[in-house]
Structure formats: C-alpha cells, structure tokens
C-alpha cells in the first residue's frame, strides 16, 4: 500500500493560503512530487511513478536530463538576464532552430511562455493585416492560452462578461463527435468546407489561428484532407495561417511541427512546452517577410522582460541539440506506432473506452458511459486517473479524456509497463 501521510500534511499546510483553481489533475491527484529522473517521478512519501504526462507535456527528454541540467547550471553561474541583448548561446540556438524548422520559417522571436508567444503572433497579424481584414478565424474546441487575446480567439468567457473579439469560429475535425452529425465515411469533409466558407473565403479575414492537432480538447487528430483543403483556400485568399504548436512543436507528434504531419504550411508558428524540456521558453517562427515587415518590427515589438533570457536559451539549445543528435523525432514515430497498437488493444478490451486517437507520442483516450450513446464519462476518467496514480502511473486528466504523452526517451519495455498499469487502472475503475 502506498503511503501518502507526508503529502497530505503538506497539502493541509498549504490550504489556508493557496488560491483554488488548480488543474483538475492536481486537485484530483493530491500528490507532492519531490524529484524526477528521466521518466520517473518520486513523491514526498517515496512513492515512484512512470510519468506518461511528461510534466505538463513539457519534458520531451524526461525529467532533469543531465545535458539540460548542465547547460542551465553553467549559465546560472554566468548570466541570468540582460533583457533581449545578444548572448553567446543565442546564435547557436537560432542555427539549431533553422535546421529543425521548415525552410520557409526562417525568422524567430524568442519568448518565455505559450500564451505570450500566441499574443505575439496576434500582434504580427494585426500589424500586417491589410485595411478591411479585421477578423481572425479560430476553431471550436481550440485552446491558445489564458491571456485576453488568446481567450477571445475561442470566445472563452470569464465570470459574467463576454469579451469575444473579432474572431470567427470554424468546425474542428472532431470525427468522434461530429458537430454536423455526419459519418466520416460519407461526410465529404463538410467541416473543412465550412471553415473555407466562413473563414478562408471571407475578404475580411486576416488569419486563421489553429492547433494542427487540438491538444487540450482531447487530442483531436484531423482526417486526411482536412488541413490540405483549408490551407489551400487560405493561401488562395490571402489569409495567414498561424499554427499554435505550443504543445506539439519540437517533435511530439513525430515531426518537428505537427503541421508537417497533417499537411499544412503555416506562415507563423508558435512553439513552447517541450522546446526547453520544461524550462520556460517559447519561440515565434515565421516567414522573413512577415516578421521583418516594418509595421510588425517596431522597436520593442518582440521584446518582453524574460524574452530571449540566457537561461531559457541554454535549456532550449541543450534540449534541441539532444533531440537532433539522438534522432529522437524518428524514435517518436517508431514508439508512437507501438503505443498505438497497445492502446487500440485497450479499446478492443474496454467498452467504456469510446475512442483512442493520436500521433507520435501524443494520445487521447475518451471515456464514455457506453459506446452506443457516447455520453461523456468524466467521473470514470477521474477514477481511472486516480487508480493509475495509486498503481504508479501518471497521465494527464481533462474532463472525460485522459492524455498520454511519454518522454521521447522511453523504450518499448517502459511503454508496455505504462500501458499495463493503465489497463489495471481501467479494470479497477470500471469494477468499482
């Protein structure tokens, strides 16, 4: 039996002072983690866990990777912050980015968080949009951050006020719960054609901001042809394509950008989470003509307090160099195929597992009361999440969906261990 007494004591100590509103997984899990090594976390009571959530989908190389630790430690002893002034590592990082990203995304601005880099992309769109192009498209179920501009993209209301701006929402390719009530075998990608009609074909649209694979919504993977159709229409009509790759950028789906895997060529791409193995870092990659446009490149346009800071640059450089040197993106593809096989086996085995979907090492498991009704089962998902923690497996919880995102450095044996623990957790939760 796992011990939790020291963790509970610390959580009780925090409760009088800590604001509520933590993530669902933190609120349900009630753990206090003290150490991470590779794919393994240790809590305050000494219990260990396979971390198949990779922090918050951030630890591409696992926890405390020695080369990232060494880079951060060396930099911490030299220099922390000189605003956005050049430092020796920055040129090396930019060269690494240029090798990893598609050739047309050849210019970069450095930031610290996902929401910050999405806001920077919106500023570029606003600055460069032609007169009359005052609308921005986005997708239902999308998530782009919690700052005002990012929230307004998807009409995310807070409290009693709606600050929805000039965004127009299109249909996400959520085939398991098609918003149009159609079947994939005969739908003709109606969702994509409606995005074209309502967003891409409108002369008032400046840009479409999108996740190539919708992460927070439960790993919604587009069917073939969805992004090709929308991307072509946007290109024909002068609508900028802004890929939110905060979660997927850096190799998570088996390509450096998920856009590459789903067949769309963005004009701007926002990357963050896994780029520096969990250390705060973000990059806006774009076409030179856009980021050098005088309207978008006024003094201070790409500067902020922690943007381009030496510590973030050191962590990102080390992370990306390991990914490149060790061919980890190719490994993600191979491991992803193995993980897909194992997870589809769970789908065949458990009636309450309504859908399994993903790419590379990013997978969503959608829990339902029964497959006929497809009624979401968030209580069951929480029970599976809790049972998995008790068995020694950490995944990511969100509503009735569990997300799996193991580090790129796991092997087949660890994947099998993790899926085995997940199967036991589902068994326990279903039987309860």
């Amino acid at each position: 039996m796992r011990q939790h007494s020291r963790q509970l004591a610390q959580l009780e100590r925090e409760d009088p002072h800590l604001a509520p509103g933590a993530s669902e997984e933190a609120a349900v899990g009630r753990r206090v983690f003290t150490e991470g090594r590779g794919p393994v976390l240790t809590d305050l009571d000494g219990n260990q866990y396979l971390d198949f959530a990779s922090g918050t989908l951030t630890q591409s190389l696992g926890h405390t990777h020695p080369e990232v630790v060494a880079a951060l430690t060396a930099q911490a002893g030299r220099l922390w912050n000189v605003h956005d002034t050049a430092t020796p590592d920055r040129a090396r990082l930019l060269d690494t980015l240029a090798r990893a990203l598609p050739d047309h995304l050849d210019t970069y601005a450095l930031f610290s968080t996902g929401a910050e880099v999405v806001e920077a992309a919106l500023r570029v769109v606003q600055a460069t949009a032609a007169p009359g192009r005052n609308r921005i498209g986005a997708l239902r179920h999308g998530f782009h951050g919690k700052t005002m501009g990012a929230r307004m993209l998807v009409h995310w209301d807070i409290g009693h006020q709606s600050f929805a701006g000039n965004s127009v929402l299109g249909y996400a390719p959520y085939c398991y719960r098609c918003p149009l009530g159609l079947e994939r075998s005969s739908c003709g990608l109606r969702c994509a054609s409606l995005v074209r009609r309502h967003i891409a074909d409108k002369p008032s649209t400046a840009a479409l901001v999108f996740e190539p694979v919708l992460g927070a919504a439960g790993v919604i993977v587009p069917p073939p042809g969805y992004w090709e159709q929308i991307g072509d229409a946007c290109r024909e009509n002068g609508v900028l394509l802004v890929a939110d790759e905060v979660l997927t950028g850096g190799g998570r789906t088996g390509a450096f950008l998920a856009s590459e895997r789903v067949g769309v060529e963005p004009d701007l791409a926002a990357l963050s989470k896994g780029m520096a193995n969990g250390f705060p870092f973000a990059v806006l990659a774009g076409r030179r003509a856009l980021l050098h446009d005088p309207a978008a490149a006024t003094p201070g346009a790409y500067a902020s307090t922690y943007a381009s800071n030496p510590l973030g640059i050191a962590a990102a450089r080390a992370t990306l160099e390991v990914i490149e040197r060790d061919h980890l993106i190719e490994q993600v593809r191979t491991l992803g195929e193995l993980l897909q096989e194992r997870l589809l086996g769970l789908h065949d085995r458990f009636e309450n597992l309504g859908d399994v979907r993903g790419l590379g090492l990013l997978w969503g498991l959608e829990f339902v009361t029964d497959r006929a009704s497809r009624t979401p089962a968030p209580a069951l998902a929480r029970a599976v999440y809790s049972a998995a923690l008790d068995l020694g497996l950490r995944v990511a919880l969100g509503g009735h969906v569990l997300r799996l995102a193991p580090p790129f450095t796991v092997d087949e044996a660890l994947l099998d261990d993790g899926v085995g623990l997940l199967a036991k957790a589902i068994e326990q939760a279903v039987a309860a």
Side-chain angles (χ1 to χ4, degrees):
M1 182 68 180
R2 289 175 168 246
Q3 298 297 313
H4 303 290
S5 57
R6 295 179 66 192
Q7 297 175 84
L8 292 175
Q10 175 168 324
L11 292 168
E12 289 173 0
R13 179 182 173 186
E14 291 181 350
D15 283 343
H17 306 291
L18 189 67
S23 67
E24 187 178 8
E25 59 191 53
V28 173
R30 302 284 286 173
R31 294 302 197 275
V32 180
F33 294 113
T34 59
E35 185 177 16
R37 291 286 183 271
V40 177
L41 286 167
T42 303
D43 69 25
L44 192 58
D45 290 291
N47 305 305
Q48 292 192 322
Y49 308 78
L50 270 180
D51 187 8
F52 273 29
S54 292
T56 177
L57 286 76
T58 49
Q59 314 301 120
S60 303
L61 305 179
H63 295 277
T64 57
H65 188 281
E67 291 182 57
V68 181
V69 171
L72 277 169
T73 302
Q75 187 61 57
R78 290 195 300 263
L79 183 67
W80 285 26
N81 193 311
V82 282
H83 203 201
D84 56 350
T85 302
T87 52
D89 259 3
R90 191 167 72 176
R92 183 171 165 183
L93 172 63
L94 295 176
D95 289 342
T96 303
L97 288 169
R99 290 194 301 271
L101 284 158
D103 290 344
H104 71 281
L105 299 177
D106 59 358
T107 304
Y108 317 116
L110 307 182
F111 297 94
S112 54
T113 70
E116 185 183 30
V117 73
V118 168
E119 295 282 352
L122 293 176
R123 292 196 299 273
V124 172
V125 171
Q126 183 182 33
T128 60
R133 288 193 180 267
N134 56 7
R135 310 298 293 273
I136 296 180
L139 296 181
R140 291 174 174 85
H141 305 294
F143 178 78
H144 303 289
K146 296 177 182 177
T147 50
M148 184 66 79
R151 290 207 321 262
M152 290 196 305
L153 279 172
V154 291
H155 302 187
W156 179 16
D157 298 341
I158 297 292
H160 304 290
Q161 301 296 326
S162 174
F163 291 103
N166 288 336
S167 68
V168 181
L169 296 182
Y171 289 109
Y174 197 173
C175 295
Y176 185 66
R177 298 185 183 279
C178 177
L180 305 171
L182 302 175
E183 294 295 330
R184 176 67 193 97
S185 58
S186 58
C187 69
L189 293 178
R190 181 66 173 156
C191 54
S193 64
L194 288 174
V195 172
R196 290 188 59 174
R197 177 187 298 178
H198 297 148
I199 296 173
D201 291 345
K202 296 288 188 181
S204 59
T205 305
L208 171 61
V209 181
F210 64 94
E211 297 168 273
V213 174
L214 285 79
V219 191
I220 297 175
V221 180
Y226 176 85
W227 278 121
E228 291 91 340
Q229 182 180 154
I230 294 170
D232 288 347
C234 287
R235 193 77 59 217
E236 291 167 5
N237 294 296
V239 175
L240 292 179
L241 288 159
V242 182
D244 181 343
E245 300 253 9
V246 166
L247 186 152
T248 52
R252 171 61 59 187
T253 64
F256 196 79
L257 296 181
S259 303
E260 298 174 276
R261 289 216 67 179
V262 301
V264 63
E265 183 179 291
D267 300 290
L268 295 168
L271 305 88
S272 184
K273 284 183 179 290
M275 295 289 286
N277 209 48
F279 196 88
F281 176 81
V283 58
L284 177 63
R287 297 182 187 274
R288 180 178 180 85
L290 271 176
L291 293 183
H292 278 262
D293 188 301
T298 55
Y302 304 126
S304 70
T305 300
Y306 301 106
S308 208
N309 81 84
L311 288 166
I313 287 171
R317 176 193 57 74
T319 300
L320 296 178
E321 288 180 357
V322 170
I323 289 172
E324 179 182 34
R325 183 196 68 207
D326 295 348
H327 307 288
L328 291 183
I329 294 178
E330 292 90 334
Q331 182 165 307
V332 167
R333 279 185 178 257
T334 300
L335 292 171
E337 292 172 0
L338 295 173
L339 185 55
Q340 178 180 23
E341 179 184 328
R342 273 67 166 174
L343 295 178
L344 289 177
L346 295 185
H347 182 260
D348 292 339
R349 182 175 167 188
F350 295 106
E351 172 70 19
N352 295 102
L353 188 48
D355 196 28
V356 170
R357 52 188 179 257
L359 278 178
L361 289 179
L362 177 62
W363 287 83
L365 285 68
E366 184 162 351
F367 288 89
V368 295
T369 57
D370 61 89
R371 289 192 184 174
S373 70
R374 301 187 182 183
T375 302
L380 177 59
R382 286 194 296 272
V384 174
Y385 172 75
S386 295
L389 274 177
D390 290 339
L391 290 166
L393 175 71
R394 179 175 179 264
V395 296
L397 170 66
H400 66 294
V401 176
L402 296 181
R403 292 182 296 170
L404 274 65
F408 302 176
T409 50
V410 297
D411 56 23
E412 184 174 355
L414 281 177
L415 280 184
D416 286 339
D417 289 346
V419 174
L421 292 171
L422 181 60
K424 290 180 182 178
I426 298 173
E427 284 178 350
Q428 292 180 11
V430 170

